[in-house]
Each structure stands twice: as C-alpha cells, then as structure tokens.
Amino acid sequence: MKMRTITLYPLLCLLLYGTPVHSLAGTEGSRDARNNKKVRVIFDTDMGPDYDDVGAIAMLHAFADSGYVTILGTIASTKYEGVASVLNIFNTYFHRPGIPVGVPRQWAYTGKDPQHWTDSLIARYPHTIKTNAEVPDAVSLYRKLLAEQPDNSVTVITVGFFTNLNNLVHSGPDQYSRLSGLELVKKKVKNLVSMAGKFPEGKEFNVYKDAAAAYELFKVWPKPVLFSGWEIGQQIQTGLKLVNDATISNSPVKDAYRISIPQAASDQNGRMSWDQTAVLIAVKGYSNFFEIQKGTIEVEKDGSNKWINKLEDKAAYLTPKMPYEQLAAYIEQWMMHRPIKQQ
C-alpha cells in the first residue's frame, strides 16, 4: 500500500529543538497544494463516547490549514442528540463552518460522553447546526460526496463504528449516483484508514459496538485498508501539554481535554490517542512512524477479530517503529494548532 510520507526535517526540528510543528508545516503545505496533492478526506467518527476524536479532528483541521488535506465531510457514526452540533462546533472553530455534517438515520449507537464535555461545548461555542434533524443522513451524504469526486481519489478515515460504511456499500442508486454503494466505493474511494480492532487478534470497542456492521463490511470491502489497532493508541498519551498551555484560550479542543482528563485516574498522564494515529497515517503516511503487517482481517459475529498474514493482500495493520513518547509529542503539537482564518 503506497501512502504519502512526511519529510524528516519538521519531525527532527520538533524532536531535537522543540520547534512547534505547526510553525514549520506551512511551507511544506503550500508546496503540496501547488502540486495538487492534497488528500481528499471524509472523516467518519463516533464523536462523543470518548474524546480522542477531538484530538483527531483538531489534527485534521491543522493538516488542512497546512495545505495537506481537503476535508470533504465530517460524518457521525453515532446518533445521540447533539453530535451534529459538536461536529459543527469544531468545523466552525477552525473557520470551516460549511463542511457538511451527516448523522445516521438508521440504527446507530447512541452512547455519549460520561464527562459531559459535549454538553459543555454546545453551551459555550458557536454553531449553526442545532439538532441532528438539520443534517443529511450519513449514507446520503457519503453518496453525494463520493459522486462529486474524481475517480480513485477519496481517503476515508474512520475512527468509530463501521455502521455508515456497511450501510453505504449495501445502498442502492439514488439522486446522486446510478451506481450501487459498492460500485461507488470501488470507483471513487482510494483507500480506507481505520482506528479499529486489536492485532493480531482481540476484541475492540469500534468493532464490537456494531459487530454486525464490521462482520458484513469486511466480507465485501473492495479497497486498500490500513488499520491502527487498539494496542497502538493505547501507548500514546496526549493532552496535558495542551491543557497546560496558557496561551491557548477559548478552544473547544482544549476544553474537551481540560474537562475530561481529571475525571479518570487512568488519564493522569494524558489520554490514550487512538484516533489521532489514524489521521496521522492517512495524511502523512506510515513509513516514518510505523511498520506494517500485511494480510486480511477476519471479524467474527461477536465483534472479535483476528488477522491472517498475507504478503500480497491490500490490507495491513500498524506495528511499532518510532518510540511512543516521540509519537505523542509529534501528535500533540498538531493537536495544539490554532485556527487560521480562511481567505
């Protein structure tokens, strides 16, 4: 699987000299933009049960500000009331309020955050989307966005459940495309990057909370897929530097971590950074950060998964390469990015 890679200079500056990466990324981003190499991303998230999704969407917008990414849509795989507003809050904070938001109309997980950071953000930060009913169905939005893009051009980043993708591949023609969902994915999607699963085997939240969707999806999914498993993000702790930076204020990203970190003893050194790893490798490639194991995933009906090694297969999962402490420092610098006003 060919993925874009990051030059080592910004990374070395960060690790050796402590220079914030967002102060270095602009030049590289401009060069990528001129070469028309922006990654076209649909971001599919269970924004709410946990808050590593917040770090992930912050990174995605930081990469967009630096010229690496075009964010086509932000789509929820949960449907608790308020999730559309939360996505709109982050898009608005980063000066992209017009990014489309979608929420499932069919069955979806309704659990939300026990720390109540979502309620706090909705009460405090500007947003024009007030209810889930105001936004399109997740599958309809997927179909619209994909139909509008060049062939083989879209990277789907999923950091939640496979509810939407399974519904998409089993969808039929509509006003946006005469193709079936599976045909549309084959035609328009370049690759899928997913934070899900435990490897080489295990049972992980994003898979088992909609086990039926994962079980069905990976029997038919036709495009390359790269997994960042639970065991990767579990070792990468971020958020404390963000929370303790007094120069960052009126930030929904900081507030989500500020509210949530003190509520769990396990987060005293920072929150585990599962979802951020998926955004990182989708945009920057894996090769400077991780190794990969190629093969295929097998999902059981109970949501457990195992891996079958196959060198020729289009799927892979991440294995360690860069020390986790260095990864955490690199990821958190992107999470601390301040919004850039769009021209």
Side-chain angles (χ1 to χ4, degrees):
M1 182 184 304
K2 292 183 178 179
M3 309 288 288
R4 294 181 59 217
T5 58
I6 181 175
T7 62
L8 288 177
Y9 177 70
L11 179 59
L12 290 173
C13 287
L14 167 65
L15 299 181
L16 297 178
Y17 306 115
T19 304
V21 72
H22 54 71
S23 70
L24 296 167
T27 303
E28 267 192 274
S30 298
R31 183 171 64 250
D32 282 354
R34 286 198 299 271
N35 292 336
N36 197 30
K37 293 181 179 179
K38 289 186 179 182
V39 182
R40 300 168 187 255
V41 167
I42 297 175
F43 183 63
D44 191 325
T45 169
D46 62 332
M47 180 70 69
D50 206 338
Y51 58 100
D52 53 327
D53 304 74
V54 174
I57 199 170
M59 288 181 69
L60 190 62
H61 279 282
F63 287 145
D65 281 344
S66 298
Y68 294 112
V69 167
T70 297
I71 306 172
L72 303 176
T74 50
I75 303 180
S77 59
T78 50
K79 61 184 297 184
Y80 65 86
E81 189 53 59
V83 67
S85 297
V86 173
L87 287 171
N88 185 231
I89 284 168
F90 289 112
N91 294 339
T92 300
Y93 171 71
F94 285 104
H95 303 304
R96 295 183 179 86
I99 291 177
V101 172
V103 173
R105 292 282 185 267
Q106 298 171 283
W107 181 90
Y109 184 70
T110 57
K112 61 182 299 187
D113 56 302
Q115 307 94 344
H116 296 287
W117 63 262
T118 58
D119 298 336
S120 298
L121 266 53
I122 289 170
R124 178 175 182 183
Y125 288 97
H127 56 286
T128 56
I129 298 172
K130 305 301 182 182
T131 68
N132 292 351
E134 298 173 39
V135 304
D137 167 61
V139 171
S140 294
L141 182 56
Y142 257 113
R143 291 184 59 86
K144 180 179 186 295
L145 295 174
L146 290 175
E148 293 170 345
Q149 301 308 309
D151 292 354
N152 198 43
S153 68
V154 177
T155 293
V156 177
I157 303 175
T158 176
V159 296
F161 317 118
F162 295 106
T163 307
N164 295 327
L165 289 181
N166 187 53
N167 289 337
L168 171 63
V169 299
H170 290 98
S171 65
D174 61 4
Q175 69 268 37
Y176 303 117
S177 175
R178 294 176 292 178
L179 300 177
S180 71
L182 186 59
E183 292 168 335
L184 195 58
V185 167
K186 287 179 179 178
K187 186 175 178 66
K188 300 294 185 177
V189 172
K190 180 180 180 181
N191 64 316
L192 168 64
V193 180
S194 176
M195 188 281 115
K198 280 187 178 181
F199 300 99
E201 61 181 64
K203 193 171 184 180
E204 185 272 327
F205 185 80
N206 286 350
V207 180
Y208 74 74
K209 278 298 181 181
D210 192 352
Y215 176 78
E216 294 174 6
L217 178 67
F218 289 108
K219 290 184 179 298
V220 298
W221 182 258
K223 305 297 285 194
V225 55
L226 182 56
F227 293 97
S228 178
W230 180 90
E231 66 284 353
I232 294 293
Q234 190 259 347
Q235 299 289 336
I236 304 170
Q237 295 170 309
T238 58
L240 290 185
K241 185 176 180 182
L242 167 67
V243 169
N244 292 324
D245 190 330
T247 68
I248 300 176
S249 60
N250 298 315
S251 164
V253 181
K254 180 176 180 177
D255 276 0
Y257 280 80
R258 177 186 58 80
I259 292 166
S260 301
I261 283 177
Q263 297 191 44
S266 59
D267 292 349
Q268 62 181 338
N269 295 318
R271 183 61 183 158
M272 278 73 82
S273 304
W274 294 286
D275 295 351
Q276 295 95 319
T277 61
V279 173
L280 173 64
I281 61 176
V283 178
K284 294 293 191 180
Y286 68 84
S287 61
N288 284 315
F289 309 102
F290 301 100
E291 305 290 350
I292 60 170
Q293 175 62 58
K294 291 186 175 182
T296 187
I297 192 171
E298 290 189 359
V299 179
E300 302 297 330
K301 289 185 177 180
D302 67 352
S304 60
N305 71 272
K306 62 181 178 179
W307 191 258
I308 308 299
N309 293 336
K310 294 181 181 179
L311 290 178
E312 72 281 4
D313 207 87
K314 294 181 179 179
Y317 70 86
L318 301 180
T319 59
K321 180 180 180 180
M322 179 183 285
Y324 286 121
E325 295 80 4
Q326 293 180 11
L327 270 171
Y330 183 73
I331 286 170
E332 190 154 12
Q333 286 293 335
W334 285 104
M335 289 168 52
M336 294 169 66
H337 172 78
R338 286 78 176 277
I340 295 176
K341 188 72 174 179
Q342 302 303 299
Q343 301 297 322

